[in-house]
Amino acid sequence: VKQRPEFKKEAIVAYQLKCLLLLLFCLSFSKGAYAQSGEKVQHLSLDGEWEIIFDHQSEGRIKRLHTNAGFEAFPGRRNISVPSCWEEIEQDYEGVAYYRKTFQVPQEWEGQVVYINFDAVNYLAEVWLNGKVIDVHEGGFTPFSFRLDKSIKFGQENVLTMRVVGPIILQDKLVDNMGRQETAQWRGGIVGGIWQPVSLNATGALSVADVFLETDITDGTVDFAIDLKSHKVQRQSAEIRLSIHSSEGEQVVQKKQEVLLSPGMTKLDWSLPVKDAKLWSPDSPSLYQARIEVRVDGEISDRWTHRFGFRHFTIEEGRFVLNGQPMFLKATFFEGLYPVRIAYPDSKEMAIKEITLAKEAGFNMIRPWRKPPPKMWLDLCDSLGVLTVGSLVLECMDRPISTPYLAKRVELEVRESILRDRNRTCVVQWELFNEANRPVLQQMMHDMSVLAQELDPSRLILDESGGTKGANMYLPYQDVPIQFNDIHYYAGGQVNEKQFNRTLIIGKTKEEIEELGMMGLKMPGRNVKAGLMSYLSELGYASWPSITANNASFRSEGNRMTPAARSHERLEKQVREAFQVTGFDKVFPDLDAYCLEEQKIHGIANKRIIEAARSNPDISGYCIHALTDGDWILGAAIVDLWRNPKTLAYDMTREANQPQLASIRVLPRNIYADEGAELLVTGINELAGLQAQLTIQVEDQNGAIVSTDTFSRDYVRGISELYRDSLDVSQLSGSYLVQVLIHDQEGRLVSESTQSFDVFPNSAWPATSKKVAVLENNSRLTNFLTKQGVEVIPFSSDLELDVPVVVGDLRRAGDDLKSLVKALKPFVQKGGFAIFLDINGSMMTWGAPNPKPKPKDPSEHWRRSVPRTLKDTSLDLLPFDAKLYGTDGNYISRNHIVTDHPIFSGLPTGGLMSGVYENVCAVKSIVRPERGQYLAGVITYDQNQDMDIMKRHYNGIGDVTWAADVLLVEEGKGAMLFSTMQLLDNLGKDPVADLILKNMISYE
């Protein structure tokens, strides 16, 4: 003003007023209310700080906590961030909580239709605004919206209150007629409360209620089924504009039309062509944006936008097909548990990291486990290019339990989950049930499949993963399903020749199996039929994460109140104690070193089973269990809970997923020198065929080259035999490594693989003056020892004390043999030595296994084959009634530690059993023997937490336990050696079994 005195006062005031109006406009925009030319559509986030009352006594109705006065008068009000799970601030809380939020709605919203939108509230949500009832929603993992505008005070403070009944999982109580695990839930946490975002949006009287879009890659068209809603009592004309924009924002096509809308719903079916439409795929995730505007008298009444891509995913001739091209499906199972926020990503960056790690490991699909992922996570899968399975909160290991409300709740989840995500490009399949064994669910499968087709005919629909009665897959726009082998297969930590071959016979006829020379093997899966497409929807092994590093992250970045933080802390404490009790701390004084060794075994097992799956032309894909660690499958993943790759578990899985791979098999893996072996190299190539240079090299344990050969081979697309020949080992002894290198014609390395093997001399055991007494129910052990030149004599109570006694096969033993075995204890006490190679479990008799008790409830079938609790084993029970624990492993880490002891002389010791031990490693172990020296054994955890499946659903793994594979027990002046290793079945077949038995007999 001083510089321009000619300005009049009135002009200055007018200028100031304009600046003030501009400032108010900017402030309103920053709060979420936005406007464009002629537009009244508005949005306001309600995320942030809310108040909460945990209604422990369920007295909120009586005290009218839904009212502002009742809420204000109640003690114990706290603040909580929305979105969040309430167990982030109230440990393990189950029951009822009341929420309150105050907010203002802009005055200019008055006259519009206002909705509150919840992305997910678990489980039952009742809503009031300004003391007036609004509505109720049931279901904890799907979105819902309520209309509010008749109860809003525009331009003033509004008070929103909510009563939320969370899921009851751990406690035996009833709230609103909902009991323990009676509602559909995810097993990763309680996840109570408002755990996903909340917002308000305002529209005009005419709005977009729903849109379903379907793309056709053959002609580049997009079909839109548009539901328009009118709140007018009279018919109203509106201009509907539909446009499609490129990822750069450029409009590529538009359609607009004047439409007369009746009160209520009006349906439109429009189709728009996109010229030269770019296809969406993992390699090129091209996306477009669809925009729908409803205009009345030139002003926008409502707008709807959505990103989508052109893609078509189906099955043709027994193969998955994306955009007309066959693809081998490489999926990974995804628990979706996070270290701090439990069910919701700790950050967008963490979500990006886990999805990127999956892609970098060679996976093209992610299978979320029984929980629809948050919208933000699916946005990332769309943009990063990862196929996903549409997962519903249904049938998670017999949960929810059977009640008269089960069918209704199942249908609710099917309907709302599909409606939420049926426009998602990344979602290519709906998976309805998982291992459903209850009649009420089995009889619903067809009806729910039909419902899924009605809601979304454009995607694959699988009625049941791991189908108890076989699986049905509905192809897009086909109302009659194809039969489908959907298989869950956990081979364990030792993927030996038997487990590899079991994978190779999947989908084969008896004649084909016989031609392969693999008769007698049990085919994995349930009701697997020859000639059908086969998919391994669960496959893999497990290893501990780096426990100490994980716990350091929980202490520095986590919330120690959450179940994951507590279970990790308990795990470290109990594992350290277990190492001391067993004496295995002398083998692994460093817990971190042990975890890394487990991750190596995990990687070897994953790589081997993937190679087997990819070598079978009847298998169309697999899903590795799992991507990230979580709850009671802690350890199953290749990435830990903090999204750190688990060293070799991640690296070797990534190697096995590469598009070009050479699978090496040395048969047998452990070789008698004078019998030789066969070397087989199978080429797996998903890319174009090429003329390749194949180099096969054998190195000894010091890295010295024993033999090498290079030759040309056609490396064709698909599965091919690159090499098969005998392996001359007559002059070899010890450990060796086969390395296969494949180079293209330009000399570039295409693929590199290795496989180890061991060679043992085949000479008879050296002559010894020591005799051996044998007790067995057949002559198998006797015949073997005799063949080795060992003198075998019968056992009697007056046997010389320097004669070792070996107890062989005791199955179906008679009373005479049982009496002799019982007489061994006095013999040992006097100074004798007894070796037990056959231990019978407590669930077995001398004849056939005990009849399995019929469970009271079909949902409790898990109780049938295991003791109720894992208690220490009394040595008085051995060998007749031992408490044994299955330790072959599945999605649980059960790796076997071998100590440096003379019975393992000539073999690798002081580490984990693998490789050379793959045939003889124990598959069952003696649970916590009350005394004795552990020569080999396992430290793991009880997956069932004292068999209480109700608990394992939520609060992670059970207590750490341990078991012995080989136990040396001093008894009086003598000793007993108990073994559950698979020695008897491998004598004369595997030189490792022969060597261990020889060392046992020779042990002083």
Side-chain angles (χ1 to χ4, degrees):
V1 174
K2 291 179 180 177
Q3 293 176 357
R4 303 289 299 272
E6 68 273 18
F7 272 17
K8 294 184 178 180
K9 184 177 181 181
E10 293 81 5
I12 295 173
V13 172
Y15 179 75
Q16 290 173 332
L17 181 60
K18 288 180 181 179
C19 291
L20 178 60
L21 291 173
L22 179 62
L23 177 61
L24 290 173
F25 171 81
C26 293
L27 288 173
S28 67
F29 186 89
S30 68
K31 290 180 180 179
Y34 58 88
Q36 294 181 7
S37 176
E39 185 176 353
K40 293 182 179 178
V41 183
Q42 294 161 309
H43 179 89
L44 183 67
S45 172
L46 293 186
D47 292 347
E49 188 174 281
W50 289 48
E51 292 178 281
I52 191 170
I53 293 172
F54 291 103
D55 187 10
H56 292 268
Q57 305 303 320
S58 294
E59 55 187 343
R61 290 195 188 280
I62 297 173
K63 299 197 173 184
R64 298 179 60 78
L65 296 185
H66 68 279
T67 66
N68 199 34
F71 197 100
E72 194 71 32
F74 197 88
R77 300 191 308 275
R78 301 167 63 183
N79 291 333
I80 187 170
S81 177
V82 169
S84 69
C85 307
W86 61 33
E87 62 263 42
E88 293 179 44
I89 67 167
E90 184 78 0
Q91 183 170 312
D92 295 345
Y93 182 72
E94 298 179 297
V96 179
Y98 282 80
Y99 284 83
R100 184 171 70 167
K101 175 73 171 179
T102 59
F103 59 92
Q104 285 194 345
V105 177
Q107 183 67 50
E108 57 267 28
W109 282 24
E110 189 168 7
Q112 298 191 71
V113 179
V114 181
Y115 283 91
I116 186 168
N117 310 298
F118 296 91
D119 282 2
V121 179
N122 199 12
Y123 172 75
L124 185 72
E126 301 171 346
V127 179
W128 292 263
L129 181 64
N130 299 324
K132 296 179 174 59
V133 68
I134 300 299
D135 212 331
V136 62
H137 178 266
E138 180 177 353
F141 297 85
T142 50
F144 57 97
S145 298
F146 297 148
R147 185 177 174 181
L148 299 178
D149 49 276
K150 298 303 181 183
S151 301
I152 288 177
K153 300 175 181 177
F154 294 96
Q156 303 178 46
E157 184 176 82
N158 292 267
V159 180
L160 180 77
T161 54
M162 293 180 63
R163 178 178 183 266
V164 179
V165 182
I168 310 301
I169 292 177
L170 301 177
Q171 302 177 47
D172 189 11
K173 65 181 182 181
L174 195 69
V175 180
D176 283 22
N177 201 35
M178 293 183 293
R180 188 180 184 190
Q181 297 211 21
E182 292 182 0
T183 62
Q185 295 296 322
W186 169 66
R187 70 185 178 197
I190 293 175
V191 195
I194 310 172
W195 69 283
Q196 291 197 36
V198 186
S199 64
L200 296 175
N201 75 283
T203 72
L206 308 183
S207 61
V208 180
D210 187 42
V211 179
F212 177 40
L213 63 84
E214 300 166 86
T215 62
D216 188 338
I217 67 170
T218 60
D219 57 8
T221 59
V222 191
D223 293 333
F224 292 86
I226 307 170
D227 291 342
L228 300 173
K229 188 170 185 177
S230 172
H231 294 278
K232 295 282 190 179
V233 296
Q234 303 292 331
R235 292 178 179 174
Q236 173 76 53
S237 180
E239 182 186 60
I240 311 301
R241 294 184 181 182
L242 171 59
S243 59
I244 296 176
H245 302 254
S246 69
S247 57
E248 292 79 21
E250 178 184 357
Q251 180 176 295
V252 296
V253 64
Q254 182 187 41
K255 178 179 180 177
K256 57 184 177 179
Q257 180 178 321
E258 198 75 19
V259 177
L260 185 62
L261 302 184
S262 298
M265 302 298 295
T266 299
K267 294 183 178 294
L268 299 180
D269 290 306
W270 284 9
S271 181
L272 265 67
V274 175
K275 185 178 180 181
D276 301 324
K278 298 178 181 179
L279 300 185
W280 182 97
S281 70
D283 294 331
S284 180
S286 300
L287 292 172
Y288 293 84
Q289 186 182 67
R291 300 177 187 173
I292 298 175
E293 292 180 355
V294 180
R295 289 178 175 260
V296 179
D297 298 330
E299 293 187 348
I300 295 179
S301 180
D302 194 16
R303 167 183 283 165
W304 176 92
T305 63
H306 183 75
R307 292 190 312 165
F308 73 95
F310 285 88
R311 63 105 183 92
H312 182 62
F313 187 74
T314 188
I315 293 172
E316 296 176 5
E317 299 180 353
R319 286 287 179 266
F320 292 104
V321 175
L322 177 64
N323 299 335
Q325 298 298 317
M327 69 180 301
F328 190 88
L329 206 58
K330 301 172 189 173
T332 182
F333 180 106
F334 178 61
E335 194 77 1
L337 180 71
Y338 294 91
V340 178
R341 304 194 66 189
I342 304 175
Y344 201 83
D346 285 2
S347 65
K348 185 176 181 180
E349 290 71 25
M350 179 174 279
I352 292 172
K353 182 177 181 180
E354 68 195 5
I355 296 169
T356 303
L357 283 170
K359 288 201 70 173
E360 290 177 350
F363 293 110
N364 49 35
M365 173 181 270
I366 297 177
R367 178 195 178 200
W369 177 244
R370 320 316 294 167
K371 180 189 73 172
K375 293 179 181 179
M376 176 264 281
W377 192 87
L378 289 174
D379 284 341
L380 293 172
C381 288
D382 279 338
S383 60
L384 294 174
V386 179
L387 305 177
T388 63
V389 175
S391 183
L392 287 59
V393 186
L394 294 179
E395 187 53 29
C396 181
M397 308 298 287
D398 299 315
R399 306 296 112 175
I401 65 172
S402 298
T403 69
Y405 299 94
L406 178 60
K408 174 186 175 182
R409 287 168 178 160
V410 164
E411 182 174 343
L412 175 73
E413 295 299 334
V414 171
R415 184 180 301 278
E416 293 195 354
S417 298
I418 292 177
L419 287 175
R420 191 195 81 160
D421 291 330
R422 63 180 181 170
N423 288 328
R424 287 285 178 185
T425 302
C426 63
V427 177
V428 295
Q429 173 193 317
W430 299 113
E431 179 185 295
L432 302 184
F433 295 91
N434 179 77
E435 297 183 22
N437 52 49
R438 288 172 280 173
V440 65
L441 295 180
Q442 291 173 347
Q443 68 189 16
M444 289 187 71
M445 280 187 193
H446 176 67
D447 290 343
M448 291 302 97
S449 298
V450 171
L451 174 61
Q453 283 187 302
E454 291 173 354
L455 297 171
D456 181 10
S458 68
R459 285 172 174 80
L460 295 176
I461 300 169
L462 177 65
D463 64 355
E464 182 186 15
S465 180
T468 54
K469 304 293 183 182
N472 292 307
M473 180 74 85
Y474 295 80
L475 305 187
Y477 305 104
Q478 300 293 318
D479 57 1
V480 177
I482 62 171
Q483 287 187 299
F484 184 81
N485 292 327
D486 188 284
I487 301 165
H488 296 175
Y489 176 36
Y490 296 99
Q494 309 296 334
V495 184
N496 55 21
E497 181 179 349
K498 177 181 177 181
Q499 298 290 22
F500 199 104
N501 287 344
R502 287 185 66 199
T503 312
L504 293 181
I505 66 172
I506 290 174
K508 301 289 192 294
T509 64
K510 289 183 179 179
E511 293 74 19
E512 289 171 329
I513 295 172
E514 184 175 10
E515 186 177 347
L516 289 170
M518 298 178 185
M519 293 296 292
L521 291 177
K522 182 181 179 182
M523 189 180 297
R526 302 177 180 181
N527 297 293
V528 177
K529 296 181 180 179
L532 299 183
M533 180 177 175
S534 296
Y535 176 65
L536 304 180
S537 59
E538 291 184 20
L539 187 75
Y541 187 50
S543 60
W544 295 121
S546 298
I547 301 172
T548 56
N550 274 208
N551 278 328
S553 295
F554 275 114
R555 287 190 293 270
S556 63
E557 305 172 50
N559 178 353
R560 300 182 72 176
M561 186 181 297
T562 61
R566 288 180 283 136
S567 64
H568 275 71
E569 185 176 26
R570 174 169 53 86
L571 172 64
E572 181 175 352
K573 177 177 180 294
Q574 292 183 347
V575 166
R576 292 187 185 279
E577 291 172 352
F579 270 93
Q580 291 179 350
V581 169
T582 57
F584 290 148
D585 55 343
K586 296 178 179 62
V587 180
F588 286 103
D590 183 352
L591 181 56
D592 288 336
Y594 175 77
C595 293
L596 291 176
E597 189 69 12
E598 278 218 331
Q599 292 166 24
K600 176 182 177 181
I601 305 300
H602 184 179
I604 293 171
N606 271 11
K607 184 174 186 292
R608 218 54 195 136
I609 203 66
I610 288 174
E611 288 180 3
R614 295 182 68 183
S615 298
N616 184 344
D618 294 323
I619 292 176
S620 59
Y622 49 77
C623 179
I624 292 299
H625 188 291
L627 176 61
T628 59
D629 279 338
D631 56 83
W632 67 286
I633 63 155
L634 178 64
I638 59 174
V639 175
D640 70 24
L641 199 60
W642 288 94
R643 278 46 184 177
N644 302 306
K646 286 163 63 176
T647 60
L648 287 176
Y650 181 86
D651 292 341
M652 298 186 78
T653 302
R654 178 179 57 192
E655 289 174 17
N657 277 337
Q658 295 309 303
Q660 294 174 309
L661 179 69
S663 173
I664 307 170
R665 301 190 71 190
V666 179
L667 304 173
R669 193 253 177 240
N670 298 329
I671 309 168
Y672 294 102
D674 58 355
E675 293 185 10
E678 182 179 50
L679 176 60
L680 171 64
V681 181
T682 300
I684 301 159
N685 185 9
E686 298 173 8
L687 306 179
L690 69 150
Q691 189 70 21
Q693 292 296 314
L694 188 70
T695 299
I696 298 178
Q697 187 168 282
V698 177
E699 300 175 357
D700 65 16
Q701 57 190 345
N702 297 316
I705 297 176
V706 174
S707 65
T708 185
D709 193 9
T710 300
F711 43 87
S712 180
R713 280 288 186 273
D714 287 331
Y715 192 23
V716 300
R717 183 183 179 95
I719 302 170
S720 62
E721 186 176 287
L722 295 178
Y723 182 86
R724 183 191 291 267
D725 204 349
S726 60
L727 185 64
D728 183 9
V729 297
S730 58
Q731 303 302 312
L732 303 182
S733 179
S735 299
Y736 297 88
L737 188 73
V738 177
Q739 182 181 44
V740 173
L741 303 172
I742 300 178
H743 293 84
D744 63 16
Q745 289 179 309
E746 284 72 38
R748 292 174 298 214
L749 183 65
V750 171
S751 178
E752 179 180 7
S753 297
T754 59
Q755 180 62 33
S756 60
F757 67 93
D758 285 79
V759 182
F760 296 83
N762 198 41
S763 57
W765 291 7
T768 176
S769 59
K770 182 177 287 187
K771 303 172 184 178
V772 175
V774 172
L775 288 174
E776 61 181 335
N777 193 39
N778 51 41
S779 57
R780 181 170 53 169
L781 179 57
T782 299
N783 290 341
F784 172 78
L785 291 172
T786 302
K787 186 177 179 181
Q788 307 308 315
V790 177
E791 182 180 357
V792 178
I793 61 175
F795 169 74
S796 64
S797 59
D798 58 355
L799 183 71
E800 296 178 10
L801 293 178
D802 63 345
V803 177
V805 182
V806 183
V807 181
D809 193 342
L810 296 178
R811 287 169 289 186
R812 297 177 177 83
D815 291 340
D816 292 343
L817 179 56
K818 284 190 271 187
S819 296
L820 287 172
V821 173
K822 291 179 180 179
L824 275 174
K825 190 171 183 179
F827 168 75
V828 171
Q829 288 174 334
K830 291 187 292 183
F833 181 53
I835 303 167
F836 295 86
L837 300 181
D838 185 30
I839 307 294
N840 288 292
S842 58
M843 299 303 290
M844 300 178 65
T845 65
W846 290 98
N850 284 332
K852 294 178 180 178
K854 185 177 181 180
K856 295 179 180 179
D857 184 325
S859 69
E860 297 186 353
H861 70 280
W862 48 271
R863 297 185 189 274
R864 297 177 185 176
S865 59
V866 287
R868 176 69 179 174
T869 57
L870 293 175
K871 296 181 179 179
D872 292 351
T873 299
S874 169
L875 296 181
D876 292 335
L877 298 174
L878 297 173
F880 302 135
D881 197 27
K883 289 184 174 65
L884 300 181
Y885 197 50
T887 52
D888 51 342
N890 42 29
Y891 44 79
I892 294 172
S893 169
R894 286 175 178 160
N895 291 309
H896 297 256
I897 301 170
V898 56
T899 66
D900 185 10
H901 190 273
I903 71 163
F904 298 111
S905 178
L907 296 169
T909 59
L912 294 179
M913 289 189 186
S914 183
V916 71
Y917 290 101
E918 66 182 24
N919 293 322
V920 302
C921 186
V923 296
K924 56 184 180 180
S925 305
I926 306 166
V927 177
R928 299 200 300 261
E930 60 185 1
R931 59 190 177 91
Q933 180 184 355
Y934 286 71
L935 306 187
V938 61
I939 295 175
T940 182
Y941 65 83
D942 172 15
Q943 73 181 95
N944 292 324
Q945 294 184 298
D946 292 339
M947 305 305 115
D948 192 344
I949 197 171
M950 306 287 269
K951 291 183 179 179
R952 82 177 186 184
H953 177 88
Y954 163 66
N955 57 353
I957 63 173
D959 288 332
V960 169
T961 192
W962 53 91
D965 302 335
V966 183
L967 185 73
L968 182 63
V969 179
E970 293 184 359
E971 186 70 31
K973 297 180 180 179
M976 297 182 290
L977 188 66
F978 298 100
S979 171
T980 61
M981 294 183 69
Q982 299 180 86
L983 301 179
L984 280 173
D985 291 338
N986 286 287
L987 292 175
K989 302 175 185 177
D990 187 330
V992 173
D994 302 353
L995 179 58
I996 292 176
L997 179 59
K998 175 185 172 183
N999 290 339
M1000 286 178 170
I1001 292 174
S1002 303
Y1003 177 65
E1004 297 290 345

